Amino acid sequence: MNITFSPSRLAIHLCWLLVVAASGLPLWATAAAEPFPFVIPGDDATRSATDFSGLSPTAAGADGFVHIQDGHFFAGSNRLRVWGVNLCFGADFPTHEDAEKVAAHLAKLGINGVRMHHHDTASAPRGIWGPVISGRRTLDPDMLDRQDYFLDQLHRHGIYANLNLHVGRTFTAEEGFVTKDLPASVQYSKYLIYFEPHMRELLKEFCRDYLMHTNKYRGLTRAADPGIAMIELSNENSFSKLGPDIAASLPEPYRGEFKQQWNRWLARRYSSTDALKKAWGTSLEPLGSSLVEPAKWRENLGGWRLNQSAEFPVKTRLDQAGPRPDLQALRLDITKAAPELHRQELQLPNLTIEPSRTYTFSFWIKADSARPVYVDISNQGPDNWQGVGVAETVQAGAQWTLVTRVFRSDAKIPGKVRICFKFGGNATGFSLAGVRLQEGGEFVVVPAGQRLEKGDVEIPASTWCEAARRDVRLFMADTEKGFIRELTHFLRKDLGVRVPITASQITYHGAEIVAETCDYTDIHAYWQHPDFPGRPWDPANWTIRNTPMELAPDADSLLSRAPWRLLDRPFTISEWNIPDPNDYAASTVPFAAIVAALQDWDGVFFFDYHSSETGWDTDRMRGYFSFNGQPVKLALLAACANLYRRGDLKPLSDVAAGTLKDLLPATLGLSYRIGIDPKATLPASAAAPTAKRLESPDGQAVWDASDRTQAHLVINTPNSRAVWGLVAGQKFNLGGVQLALGATDRNYAALILTSLDGKPLEKARRILLAAVGSAANQGMEWNDARTSVGNKWGTGPTLVNGIPAEVTLPFRVKSVQALDGRGQPQGAVPVRIDGNTSRFTIGPEHRTLWYEIE
């Protein structure tokens, strides 16, 4: 084979020669090889070294209903740790033939949980809905039958189900609802469902039809089926946390219904309008000095700073005509919209605001056409960027608009603050004038003419006094809790549901509401989720940042969820992924294994596995999220099941608790099991690590990002050992198992050795070694910045890069076999025996991601 190096490639090659020479690595480690096709078939359930179905020796539900004991899920007398995936849309309704294959294949991958997600979003065949008849939405009998058979097959293979009752259902005009002029925040009827009474009744109607339907293949209703492990009421659905401004902007009859319930709540709390006014306090604090005078916007930006980049530039035009002759404007021309809101911003830093004081913030804004601009007055970092009194999105239009906000600052402000306008994600130019921040201000208490006795007190806007705003948030929290309690009571008392129930994710409710209403806590997380700078979910216009999470132990997306756990009940993460085509996406799985195991979580559901009723045997990556067709994630999904499900990596022994209001630092998560004690009033005083190196007390888990070029994680347990991250050219000694890695694409790789018989590696009869890097479809076309492939995802079969490494084991082995996508032997790997030491070399020449060691 003739190989031609470009000058840049030759330079890289020579650099690797120097690295290898200095490290003592073998010369085979000097260059990353070309990728090769590798497919893990979606219909495979053959017996092989990659078969982890033995982790589920009995059918799901064989030991009775899942219940909570000592703050965890149990099936019978055994802990239940769920290693699961999401199925979406049509994937919840496979044909009978596909259902048999898919259930067996998922079990082989070590899966024991499936979250039935978005099954209520569409009509058949992508969803469960049949036609609307006489204003009543029906369930499609064929879709019910398909899901019945699928659930039966899953349960037979030891796979439990997590049922979601409201994900994507939109209540329609055919059912009698207003659907026009609704804001994006109420998509899928979210937000509305908490207070709209008819929606609540129709949701109960669906729950009755769905959960009381008898699965003829099981002879049980869903409510009475112990193969159902848990129920989630409403996915990613905020109400009180979003506040009343959305309600105030809703069309009738929604606005009127909210206002009516708000007035009834006030009437129960206060005896009269006078009592209400007295409780809400004074309306005026005299205006004082200005912290920020209106900028002249002439020679320069003064103390203001424009954050942009060469890739996403913003041009400023000074001394433009403003809304009045005495107010000059600053014009911002956005050459190219950044994919993320915060990557284009105008800020004024280094301001001093006193805690618990009243301020008036005002500015004029105008845009070429309608566009949003996010504005806040916030802490200026580097660790805390939270708002201190103002944090909202304002709408700019073709006419000058004066925006005025009177606010009371936070009770705790640790340092300097800033005014910040964030405008990434939209290329529409806009202008600002007269930005002012002044001490004092006049709040609205109860507008003239509005009386509690008439029930016409308006929904408090941002200019109302803080006491009114506090009360409307309390009303919304009470309404939210009332919805959760009412629906939970209906499921338990009317339908006989016996399994644990949660509402929505804790970050959508807040810890206090979940602590008062839910059996278990759930949360979602993604690392570098795709951004859509134009139309939402535009398949051609999106970007990712495409950087390794290994660099960020102090700012990652997964360990940062640990402080949200309520320590007195089970905790699940029902959506987690590093979406493709991220070059470092393989670490999705080992990251989940290390955090869930150490923190002793009760379930992980990767998002997702598949989202179509067809195409289960795909040979390519099908989008941002699907594991099916993504071989590096699938290989690790199986290999890492032992770390979490089998318990190879033990939970941390010590616990440190935060409170409902004060979360602990996430970086404590490799030292302590962390979370929230709902009864605690003060958080634990454990000191969080400040360096970028985290380590468990027993040394079995280490996250080392102290050198950005070599950031990696290590797991070293008796039965399983792993390393992943920017590990190329490095040597690792994992309890006597030595790995010397060669060159890999982008210096990235993930390797895990796990025993297949539950014994320590040194005594195991069979061991699986998975060694993966990245995956890409053939013909996938990246942009120059390697942040998007647009709609050019390419075709199958998927290409992977083989990981070159010399493996040294402190014991004698009989053989090493390279395995194909089904885990079947496809060729022997030479082994060198020296006394009680065995050495062999893996690499792209074996055209595999995993090896069986006997």
Side-chain angles (χ1 to χ4, degrees):
M1 179 173 63
N2 294 319
I3 300 176
T4 302
F5 287 107
S6 66
S8 60
R9 181 161 182 142
L10 180 60
I12 294 171
H13 185 75
L14 291 173
C15 287
W16 268 109
L17 284 173
L18 293 174
V19 169
V20 171
S23 64
L25 291 171
L27 288 179
W28 52 260
T30 58
E34 293 299 318
F36 54 87
F38 195 84
V39 174
I40 297 177
D43 60 356
D44 169 50
T46 57
R47 298 292 299 272
S48 71
T50 62
D51 182 4
F52 287 81
S53 61
L55 291 172
S56 300
T58 60
D63 297 319
F65 286 95
V66 172
H67 61 282
I68 296 173
Q69 180 179 322
D70 301 325
H72 293 291
F73 291 143
F74 274 76
S77 59
N78 299 313
R79 270 288 301 274
L80 176 64
R81 293 182 174 90
V82 179
W83 191 242
V85 293
N86 282 256
L87 295 173
C88 299
F89 302 105
D92 293 316
F93 313 99
T95 65
H96 288 202
E97 180 182 5
D98 283 339
E100 294 171 4
K101 296 176 181 178
V102 171
H105 178 62
L106 291 176
K108 179 175 180 176
L109 292 173
I111 293 300
N112 70 332
V114 162
R115 183 176 183 240
M116 294 285 185
H117 194 58
H118 271 298
H119 63 157
D120 68 334
T121 302
S123 297
R126 295 192 73 238
I128 203 165
W129 298 114
V132 175
I133 300 176
S134 301
R136 188 178 190 275
R137 210 165 189 179
T138 61
L139 305 184
D140 184 277
D142 185 48
M143 295 299 101
L144 274 172
D145 180 77
R146 286 189 177 199
Q147 194 177 74
D148 286 347
Y149 191 77
F150 192 23
L151 286 168
D152 180 53
Q153 289 298 309
L154 291 169
H155 299 336
R156 287 174 184 269
H157 286 88
I159 300 173
Y160 289 86
N162 172 355
L163 298 184
N164 295 181
L165 299 182
H166 179 254
V167 181
R169 178 183 184 176
T170 299
F171 292 90
T172 64
E174 292 177 285
E175 297 170 277
F177 295 97
V178 172
T179 57
K180 294 183 179 179
D181 302 320
L182 294 175
S185 52
V186 302
Q187 183 187 27
Y188 301 137
S189 300
K190 294 178 181 180
Y191 189 93
L192 300 175
I193 202 170
Y194 284 111
F195 70 91
E196 211 295 324
H198 188 42
M199 286 185 186
R200 187 179 298 192
E201 290 309 308
L202 290 186
L203 178 59
K204 288 181 181 179
E205 181 181 89
F206 165 72
C207 293
R208 185 183 297 278
D209 292 346
Y210 182 63
L211 296 176
M212 299 307 289
H213 161 78
T214 298
N215 181 336
K216 66 181 181 182
Y217 306 103
R218 305 276 292 167
L220 297 166
T221 66
R222 284 169 170 72
D225 193 335
I228 308 300
M230 62 202 75
I231 286 178
E232 179 184 314
L233 300 183
S234 187
N235 175 70
E236 293 188 352
N237 194 351
S238 284
F239 183 58
S240 60
K241 288 197 74 173
L242 292 180
D245 294 338
I246 293 171
S249 69
L250 290 172
E252 296 296 346
Y254 305 121
R255 188 186 192 282
E257 179 64 36
F258 185 101
K259 179 181 174 182
Q260 186 179 66
Q261 293 184 30
W262 158 237
N263 275 267
R264 289 201 296 264
W265 185 89
L266 286 175
R268 292 192 298 268
R269 191 174 180 88
Y270 301 105
S271 59
S272 66
T273 305
D274 289 340
L276 176 63
K277 289 181 177 180
K278 182 178 180 181
W280 283 359
T282 180
S283 63
L284 176 66
E285 290 188 21
L287 288 171
S289 59
S290 292
L291 281 73
V292 177
E293 292 285 359
K296 300 300 183 183
W297 307 123
R298 285 178 177 165
E299 295 180 2
N300 54 49
L301 294 179
W304 290 81
R305 298 175 183 172
L306 179 65
N307 293 340
Q308 55 173 332
S309 67
E311 186 180 2
F312 304 108
V314 178
K315 296 180 180 178
T316 59
R317 283 192 275 166
L318 310 174
D319 203 11
Q320 301 291 297
R324 303 195 310 257
D326 62 325
L327 287 178
Q328 289 78 26
L330 170 69
R331 164 78 183 181
L332 295 157
D333 290 317
I334 304 161
T335 306
K336 182 180 180 182
E340 295 167 301
L341 184 70
H342 68 271
R343 293 178 68 181
Q344 289 170 319
E345 63 182 20
L346 178 72
Q347 62 169 278
L348 180 63
N350 300 318
L351 302 176
T352 299
I353 287 183
E354 298 298 324
S356 302
R357 293 282 300 277
T358 299
Y359 294 90
T360 300
F361 175 52
S362 60
F363 58 90
W364 292 85
I365 191 167
K366 175 184 176 182
D368 296 343
S369 59
R371 68 152 295 156
V373 176
Y374 178 85
V375 58
D376 67 24
I377 300 177
S378 57
N379 291 287
Q380 68 180 43
D383 300 317
N384 183 352
W385 304 94
Q386 297 298 311
V388 298
V390 173
E392 65 176 284
T393 299
V394 299
Q395 297 296 324
Q399 304 298 320
W400 281 108
T401 300
L402 176 63
V403 177
T404 301
R405 298 290 182 259
V406 181
F407 67 95
R408 183 169 292 277
S409 60
D410 281 5
K412 296 179 181 180
I413 303 177
K416 297 291 186 179
V417 303
R418 61 181 186 159
I419 298 172
C420 189
F421 294 89
K422 301 181 182 182
F423 49 91
N426 190 313
T428 303
F430 68 100
S431 301
L432 292 167
V435 182
R436 180 193 290 271
L437 179 62
Q438 194 169 6
E439 294 177 344
E442 183 173 3
F443 288 109
V444 173
V445 178
V446 178
Q450 296 180 19
R451 296 191 61 79
L452 185 60
E453 291 78 6
K454 294 191 298 180
D456 65 353
V457 177
E458 267 298 346
I459 303 169
S462 56
T463 53
W464 285 47
C465 65
E466 177 54 30
R469 299 278 291 177
R470 182 191 64 239
D471 265 5
V472 76
R473 289 194 295 269
L474 286 173
F475 153 70
M476 294 181 74
D478 284 350
T479 302
E480 194 169 345
K481 287 183 280 189
F483 166 85
I484 297 168
R485 287 170 174 149
E486 179 181 332
L487 198 57
T488 300
H489 183 272
F490 172 75
L491 294 179
R492 295 216 181 280
K493 300 301 182 182
D494 290 52
L495 305 188
V497 169
R498 296 174 59 181
V499 297
I501 299 171
T502 196
S504 195
Q505 289 62 49
I506 190 169
T507 50
Y508 286 78
H509 290 304
E512 293 182 58
I513 288 177
V514 172
E516 289 186 34
T517 61
C518 297
D519 297 328
Y520 71 98
T521 308
D522 186 53
I523 205 164
H524 291 169
Y526 293 86
W527 174 255
Q528 298 182 350
H529 191 286
D531 287 303
F532 300 88
R535 176 171 56 89
W537 296 102
D538 185 337
N541 185 18
W542 57 270
T543 62
I544 57 171
R545 292 185 63 192
N546 200 12
T547 62
M549 197 167 82
E550 287 82 353
L551 296 174
D554 52 351
D556 73 283
S557 296
L558 189 60
L559 195 59
S560 64
R561 297 309 191 261
W564 285 94
R565 176 187 181 181
L566 294 175
L567 291 166
D568 62 350
R569 67 201 73 188
F571 184 84
T572 62
I573 180 164
S574 64
E575 292 184 20
W576 161 245
N577 206 338
I578 300 176
D580 288 304
N582 193 302
D583 289 314
Y584 315 96
S587 63
T588 300
V589 177
F591 266 122
I594 191 174
V595 175
L598 290 176
Q599 289 299 312
D600 203 16
W601 291 353
D602 294 271
V604 175
F605 294 88
F606 296 95
F607 189 92
D608 61 0
Y609 178 76
H610 198 64
S611 58
S612 172
E613 66 273 21
T614 60
W616 293 95
D617 58 347
T618 184
D619 66 351
R620 63 184 174 89
M621 294 160 54
R622 299 179 66 91
Y624 315 111
F625 306 112
S626 292
F627 270 51
N628 193 17
Q630 217 291 20
V632 300
K633 288 182 178 178
L634 290 175
L636 292 177
L637 184 64
C640 289
N642 283 342
L643 285 168
Y644 175 63
R645 284 194 63 192
R646 193 169 70 183
D648 288 3
L649 183 59
K650 304 301 181 187
L652 295 165
S653 58
D654 294 334
V655 177
T659 72
L660 291 170
K661 297 185 181 299
D662 295 302
L663 301 183
L664 293 181
T667 50
L668 287 169
L670 259 67
S671 304
Y672 300 89
R673 279 183 286 135
I674 57 176
I676 296 167
D677 178 355
K679 298 179 181 179
T681 56
L682 292 174
S685 58
T690 56
K692 287 211 169 190
R693 189 179 192 279
L694 310 178
E695 182 174 359
S696 64
D698 59 8
Q700 290 192 345
V702 178
W703 186 343
D704 191 349
S706 52
D707 183 342
R708 289 181 58 84
T709 66
Q710 298 184 344
H712 65 272
L713 289 90
V714 169
I715 295 175
N716 186 356
T717 74
N719 295 4
S720 293
R721 294 163 210 183
V723 61
W724 71 92
L726 305 180
V727 294
Q730 296 188 60
K731 291 182 176 180
F732 298 92
N733 188 333
L734 307 178
V737 173
Q738 298 181 49
L739 303 173
L741 284 97
T744 63
D745 187 40
R746 302 188 179 275
N747 299 345
Y748 175 79
L751 292 85
I752 177 171
L753 294 100
T754 185
S755 72
L756 297 177
D757 55 10
K759 297 178 181 179
L761 294 184
E762 291 77 5
K763 297 181 180 180
R765 294 185 61 188
R766 297 166 65 230
I767 298 169
L768 180 69
L769 166 60
V772 310
S774 59
N777 292 334
Q778 299 188 50
M780 182 179 280
E781 295 184 25
W782 285 96
N783 61 6
D784 292 339
R786 205 172 178 83
T787 56
S788 181
V789 301
N791 55 9
K792 299 176 181 178
W793 282 83
T795 60
T798 307
L799 299 176
V800 300
N801 55 320
I803 303 302
E806 184 175 76
V807 181
T808 303
L809 302 177
F811 47 85
R812 298 172 67 90
V813 303
K814 274 175 55 177
S815 66
V816 177
Q817 289 281 341
L819 307 176
D820 65 13
R822 298 177 183 271
Q824 303 299 330
Q826 65 178 8
V829 177
V831 181
R832 304 184 304 279
I833 305 295
D834 183 9
N836 287 324
T837 299
S838 304
R839 289 185 178 86
F840 59 93
T841 297
I842 64 172
E845 67 274 17
H846 299 297
R847 302 175 73 80
T848 188
L849 299 181
W850 42 27
Y851 303 81
E852 180 182 11
I853 303 167
E854 286 197 25

